[in-house]
Amino acid sequence: ETYEQWPMVFAMVGMFIMAVLEFFHHRFEARARLADEEEEKPTGPGEEKEMATLETYGNPVQSSYRAMDMPSIQAKEPPKIDKGIKAKQRNAILVEGSILIHSVLIGFDLGLQTEKNWITLIIAISFHQFFEGFAVGQIVLDAQFGFWKKVAMISFYSLTTSVGICIGIGTYLGNGGDSGETQSVLITIGVIDAICGGLLLFAGMSVFWTEWYVNNHEHHIADSLFQPAIGFLGVAMGMAIMAVIGIWA
């Protein structure tokens, strides 16, 4: 059969190439700034005294660029920790909500299927949920929620697909073996699923991928490219796996 997902595959390749180029742009700029900072360090006691005087009279000299923890090299000062954590928590809740709705819908659709389509769909959904679980776990940890909030969010993610399957099977049996997938039902599920997919794409591309890899200050100034290379390799592998899963989705 014809593989219908080629347009999205090439779109992901384009996004990946752009992310790598953007990362190296920030890295080259960051390392050039570090080199300039090394050249501007005070070399004599007079210069050190002058800098100390400026700090005393309310004109603090900009702190070391290497020590700054910021999401982008355009930032003038380190971001406040509280605001950063709150933003991560809001993003985590938004992504979690989108994933939960998406999980219920794909479970519901699976529950409506006949035995003929069950095997391929259950394999695709199992792999999809398995790898998505790694992302959910990282997002929850990064948001620094309390223990019980972490337990609740992980538990909800673990159960929602099964709940959707139960609803789908109940609907199927309640209709006397008819899936009930009328045109209006299919359109509704498709629209909601597409909206959830758009939310996940936006959060993944513009929030998490950007923050964890593309604009990661530690990776910009690091002497070794090993960690960012592993990260981008993992992203590429994830894209490839999801593209393969798209054969059965």
Side-chain angles (χ1 to χ4, degrees):
E1 296 181 3
T2 304
Y3 182 65
E4 299 177 355
Q5 309 301 329
W6 281 118
M8 192 59 194
V9 169
F10 289 115
M12 289 193 297
V13 171
M15 288 186 288
F16 184 82
I17 292 173
M18 190 62 199
V20 172
L21 293 175
E22 185 77 5
F23 168 78
F24 277 104
H25 164 72
H26 288 315
R27 178 177 170 85
F28 292 149
E29 188 173 347
R31 293 188 67 79
R33 186 168 171 179
L34 282 178
D36 292 341
E37 187 180 80
E38 290 293 328
E39 293 179 359
E40 293 172 1
K41 280 186 177 180
T43 56
E47 293 183 11
E48 291 180 357
K49 184 177 180 180
E50 182 180 352
M51 292 181 68
T53 303
L54 287 173
E55 291 178 351
T56 303
Y57 288 96
N59 296 306
V61 177
Q62 186 173 342
S63 60
S64 170
Y65 182 70
R66 184 178 291 276
M68 294 173 72
D69 181 17
M70 54 190 176
S72 170
I73 61 172
Q74 279 79 22
K76 301 300 181 183
E77 60 183 9
K80 294 182 180 180
I81 295 177
D82 291 342
K83 288 185 178 180
I85 293 177
K86 288 181 180 178
K88 290 180 179 179
Q89 290 179 347
R90 287 194 298 269
N91 290 332
I93 292 173
L94 175 63
V95 172
E96 175 84 2
S98 302
I99 289 175
L100 294 185
I101 297 173
H102 177 71
S103 297
V104 171
L105 289 175
I106 60 176
F108 177 71
D109 187 52
L110 178 62
L112 292 175
Q113 300 301 317
T114 60
E115 185 179 356
K116 176 183 176 181
N117 300 323
W118 181 269
I119 296 178
T120 55
L121 280 176
I122 195 67
I123 292 174
I125 290 175
S126 295
F127 275 99
H128 177 276
Q129 296 299 97
F130 175 76
F131 290 109
E132 193 173 58
F134 285 104
V136 171
Q138 181 60 47
I139 291 167
V140 172
L141 287 175
D142 201 39
Q144 300 182 28
F145 287 114
F147 174 77
W148 290 111
K149 281 189 177 181
K150 291 178 182 176
V151 171
M153 294 182 78
I154 298 301
S155 298
F156 287 146
Y157 173 75
S158 303
L159 296 173
T160 46
T161 304
S162 300
V163 170
I165 293 173
C166 292
I167 295 173
I169 293 176
T171 303
Y172 181 82
L173 295 177
N175 290 335
D178 182 10
S179 65
E181 290 186 329
T182 62
Q183 185 176 7
S184 59
V185 171
L186 291 175
I187 291 174
T188 302
I189 292 176
V191 169
I192 297 175
D193 214 8
I195 291 173
C196 293
L199 291 173
L200 293 177
L201 278 173
F202 177 82
M205 298 298 177
S206 66
V207 180
F208 299 111
W209 194 5
T210 302
E211 181 178 340
W212 291 348
Y213 298 108
V214 178
N215 286 346
N216 189 310
H217 180 64
E218 293 182 0
H219 290 169
H220 294 163
I221 63 175
D223 295 328
S224 172
L225 281 172
F226 179 75
Q227 285 190 352
I230 293 296
F232 277 103
L233 178 62
V235 172
M237 290 178 63
M239 287 180 169
I241 291 170
M242 296 307 294
V244 171
I245 293 174
I247 296 174
W248 300 279

